[in-house]
């Protein structure tokens, strides 16, 4: 049974890596489009309108650059987790798959629920509210999230 959970963990990491790489590609495309718009925006006789338009485009570029930076951080984090995926851990931390009496949680980057076979796994960030509750928990530890008592059953 344990190997099954390590296999599930590997599949989830593959999905998370793929989704993160797709997110990076989409952000890069949007950033390129915004930069092209900025370069193509020619000054018209309405100077204030031109300045407002350029400022809005610059804000878009800044937002996409920030999103790209965060997505690349997520990608690096997932790559580091992938290298540790078969390590046996006795405490919940970044990279662990935690089984509770309520569900399965992979502490990685926040991509939401992933279905592998009959299992719904919540891929969460350690900075998320539930991630913060899970960090440093051991098998047998309990916690309350959204008024639901949960107990850690296993850590992979």
């Amino acid at each position: 049974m344990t190997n099954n959970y390590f296999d599930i963990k590997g599949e989830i990491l593959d999905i998370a890596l793929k989704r993160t790489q797709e997110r990076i590609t989409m952000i890069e495309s949007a950033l390129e489009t915004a930069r092209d718009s900025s370069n193509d925006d020619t000054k018209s006789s309405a100077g204030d309108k031109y300045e407002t338009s350029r400022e809005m485009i610059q804000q878009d570029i800044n937002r996409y650059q920030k999103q790209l930076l965060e997505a690349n951080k997520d990608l690096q984090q997932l790559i580091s987790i992938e290298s540790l995926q078969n390590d046996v851990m006795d405490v919940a931390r970044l990279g662990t798959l935690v089984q509770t009496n309520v569900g399965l949680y992979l502490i990685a980057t926040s991509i939401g629920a992933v279905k592998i076979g009959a299992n719904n796994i919540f891929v969460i960030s350690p900075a998320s509210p539930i991630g913060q509750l899970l960090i440093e928990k051991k098998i047998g530890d309990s916690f309350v999230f959204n008024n639901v008592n949960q107990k850690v059953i296993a850590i992979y």
Side-chain angles (χ1 to χ4, degrees):
M1 191 72 151
T2 300
N3 282 344
N4 185 33
Y5 284 107
F6 282 113
D7 292 343
I8 289 172
K9 185 176 171 181
E11 286 182 54
I12 299 166
L13 285 170
D14 288 345
I15 291 168
L17 281 164
K18 183 178 178 191
R19 286 187 186 176
T20 302
Q21 289 165 335
E22 288 170 354
R23 191 169 103 220
I24 288 170
T25 300
M26 286 177 24
I27 295 168
E28 287 173 339
S29 176
L31 183 57
E32 184 177 336
T33 300
R35 284 183 176 143
D36 288 346
S37 293
S38 177
N39 294 336
D40 292 344
D41 198 12
T42 58
K43 192 163 189 169
S44 67
S45 58
D48 286 346
K49 184 177 179 184
Y50 167 77
E51 292 302 324
T52 301
S53 174
R54 290 206 42 103
E55 178 58 29
M56 290 176 67
I57 292 169
Q58 187 57 48
Q59 287 176 7
D60 285 345
I61 289 170
N62 292 344
R63 187 185 56 207
Y64 292 136
Q65 287 173 332
K66 185 178 178 183
Q67 289 175 358
L68 186 58
L69 181 65
E70 289 301 314
N72 279 314
K73 283 182 186 176
D74 288 349
L75 181 62
Q76 291 307 310
Q77 191 171 38
L78 288 168
I79 290 168
S80 71
I81 290 170
E82 193 175 41
S83 69
L84 303 171
Q85 78 180 27
N86 291 323
D87 290 0
V88 176
M89 300 179 202
D90 58 351
V91 173
R93 62 179 181 176
L94 183 67
T96 56
L97 179 64
V98 181
Q99 181 181 13
T100 73
N101 59 312
V102 174
L104 288 165
Y105 304 92
L106 178 66
I107 304 172
T109 60
S110 183
I111 65 167
V114 174
K115 188 163 180 84
I116 307 281
N119 297 298
N120 276 324
I121 299 96
F122 298 96
V123 185
I124 59 170
S125 163
S128 68
I130 188 139
Q132 291 176 0
L133 290 172
L134 283 171
I135 294 292
E136 299 299 318
K137 292 289 187 253
K138 297 179 181 174
I139 295 171
D141 288 350
S142 296
F143 63 97
V144 177
F145 181 69
N146 286 343
N147 296 319
V148 176
N149 290 318
Q150 295 192 46
K151 185 174 182 176
V152 177
I153 296 169
I155 299 173
Y156 307 98

